Amino acid sequence: MLLAMSTSPRQASAEQAAAAVPAAPLTKFEKAPQGEAEQIGQIISLTTQLLQMRYPEGMARRGVHPKDHGCVKATFTVNSDIPPNYRAGVFATPGKKYPAWIRFSNATPFLAPDLGKNGPDSRGMAIKLIGVEGETLLNEPGAKTQDFLLINLPGFAFPNVSEYLEVTKIQLAKHDDISSFFAPPLSPEKKKTLGVVTKIKQTNVGNPLESPYFSAAPFLYGSDRVAKFSVTPRSAEKTPVPQSPSTNYLREAMKKSLDPALGKPAVFDFKVQLRNDDSLPIEDATAEWSEATAPPQNVATIEIDQQDFDNAFQVTECEHMAFTPWHGLTAHQPIGGINRLRRDVYIASSKFRSQPKEPTGFPKWPW
């Protein structure tokens, strides 16, 4: 019944945009279950209907992570001493510097208070490197960019496309109330999701600049290796959550940290876990890779200088950007079911929101 709803021109355009981009061939590391492509098509339709439901008038927000806590300019530098074994893709040249946008965000379906009545939500860190060199995945107009989308736990909330389809149907039918998804008896897959959701509710963040972030899903690393990514703040500071947190307390914490006069730069280490054991899962996005089996290696440094990011120019510039793990080099192709899903859903969502071409650099604002 859900898919029998009428299709608007805007929705049809979004779905056609996703269908118009040929699917990337499966890598030797992947094994897509039967029927996955059809399930992804259903999710695209449901997602565009969700956006219509949430934003019947005016500008549609992102389908996931619609609220940003701050969108900042940064510099991403490949470490000068990066081991030769890790020199691939954007990490091929030691000392290489990229200008970058970084968007810190919240995963609630709507623009909601940073700390809801049900406890913490998943937090995100989306990185966009500008001016990368090499063959790209989507062949979109504009500059070549490499996006890394990270969340504040090492496991994604849903293991596969099938589970994501089920929860998306519930979102549309129940106006984003997904509590019935966890009605007993729980399947093994739902138990995995419940475990991740429980960790999310136990992981509070006082300042987005002080949290680690993880890719959760895997990616190619060059032509014949697989990796996961993570980011760790160098500062050991942990800002407490206020006793009575304001609606936007995370943005306020970031503004204080990066205040041009009184703040200080935020520095992160970007790390790579190379898959060196076939037991490390590819198709289960909830699964964590043991650091004992696949130790993280520092490969780059992120520096966010003090800045006034909370201004109309910068906020608007970032709101009109599209972040997707499929903006990037073929050397870092996203793999696994959840990443295959993200490709087409992000394309459709971006088209629905009428996103412009990829940026070629930081804009020249009139001040």
Side-chain angles (χ1 to χ4, degrees):
M1 292 295 292
L2 290 172
L3 298 181
M5 295 176 65
S6 62
T7 302
S8 72
R10 194 177 184 190
Q11 177 185 339
S13 177
E15 294 173 18
Q16 290 165 2
V21 181
L26 291 180
T27 67
K28 65 182 180 180
F29 303 103
E30 298 173 276
K31 186 177 181 181
Q34 187 174 3
E36 183 185 84
E38 290 75 14
Q39 292 176 336
I40 290 175
Q42 291 181 62
I43 293 171
I44 291 171
S45 178
L46 292 167
T47 299
T48 49
Q49 291 176 60
L50 272 171
L51 290 173
Q52 288 179 315
M53 180 187 76
R54 294 168 182 165
Y55 309 103
E57 298 178 2
M59 184 179 71
R61 302 279 176 169
R62 290 168 169 82
V64 291
H65 290 267
K67 180 179 183 179
D68 79 278
H69 307 307
C71 187
V72 297
K73 295 188 290 183
T75 302
F76 187 101
T77 306
V78 180
N79 291 348
S80 59
D81 60 351
I82 182 173
N85 191 39
Y86 288 83
R87 298 177 188 178
V90 297
F91 309 100
T93 306
K96 175 78 173 179
K97 291 182 180 289
Y98 300 95
W101 284 106
I102 300 181
R103 181 181 186 266
F104 294 91
S105 60
N106 203 19
T108 52
F110 298 97
L111 302 184
D114 290 345
L115 188 60
K117 48 185 181 177
N118 294 322
D121 299 297
S122 177
R123 316 296 183 181
M125 179 185 191
I127 304 168
K128 183 183 293 292
L129 309 186
I130 299 172
V132 304
E133 299 171 353
E135 181 184 356
T136 53
L137 291 160
L138 296 182
N139 195 30
E140 289 186 330
K144 290 185 176 181
T145 55
Q146 173 69 55
D147 292 0
F148 295 106
L149 272 63
L150 313 165
I151 53 177
N152 65 322
L153 285 178
F156 192 72
F158 302 94
N160 52 43
V161 173
S162 177
E163 293 298 304
Y164 201 93
L165 173 59
E166 184 173 347
V167 78
T168 306
K169 288 179 178 179
I170 293 172
Q171 281 183 296
L172 186 59
K174 303 291 187 180
H175 293 269
D176 284 307
D177 178 3
I178 65 168
S179 55
S180 61
F181 180 80
F182 297 107
L186 295 181
S187 66
E189 288 76 15
K190 285 187 174 61
K191 287 180 180 178
K192 293 177 183 179
T193 294
L194 182 60
V196 175
V197 170
T198 300
K199 288 181 182 179
I200 289 172
K201 297 302 180 185
Q202 296 170 345
T203 307
N204 223 331
V205 175
N207 185 332
L209 299 172
E210 299 168 359
S211 174
Y213 298 89
F214 309 85
S215 69
F219 296 77
L220 286 186
Y221 200 80
S223 60
D224 60 354
R225 292 178 294 169
V226 174
K228 287 189 177 186
F229 307 120
S230 63
V231 168
T232 304
R234 289 210 183 149
S235 173
E237 293 182 24
K238 291 294 180 185
T239 301
V241 177
Q243 286 290 327
S244 299
S246 70
T247 298
N248 301 309
Y249 82 91
L250 290 171
R251 176 175 287 269
E252 292 163 5
M254 281 187 61
K255 287 176 67 174
K256 183 177 180 181
S257 292
L258 298 176
D259 182 272
L262 302 175
K264 59 184 179 182
V267 181
F268 296 83
D269 288 312
F270 191 98
K271 302 180 179 182
V272 169
Q273 269 186 300
L274 284 181
R275 185 174 185 261
N276 52 17
D277 190 306
D278 290 344
S279 68
L280 299 176
I282 296 290
E283 297 293 346
D284 180 359
T286 63
E288 300 179 25
W289 286 3
S290 165
E291 293 190 359
T293 303
Q297 170 66 47
N298 286 0
V299 296
T301 303
I302 298 170
E303 296 180 76
I304 304 173
D305 287 337
Q306 297 149 262
Q307 58 193 273
D308 173 22
F309 63 85
D310 194 25
N311 64 78
F313 292 108
Q314 195 152 323
V315 169
T316 301
E317 184 73 20
C318 202
E319 187 56 40
H320 286 285
M321 286 184 200
F323 290 86
T324 163
W326 287 88
H327 279 155
L329 301 181
T330 56
H332 302 307
Q333 178 178 319
I335 62 174
I338 289 297
N339 269 334
R340 293 190 293 271
L341 165 66
R342 291 162 102 182
R343 173 187 173 276
D344 291 347
V345 168
Y346 276 103
I347 291 171
S349 176
S350 178
K351 182 67 177 178
F352 187 86
R353 296 172 58 233
S354 301
Q355 294 310 105
K357 64 183 181 180
E358 284 296 278
T360 59
F362 295 134
K364 303 296 189 293
W365 290 315
W367 57 50

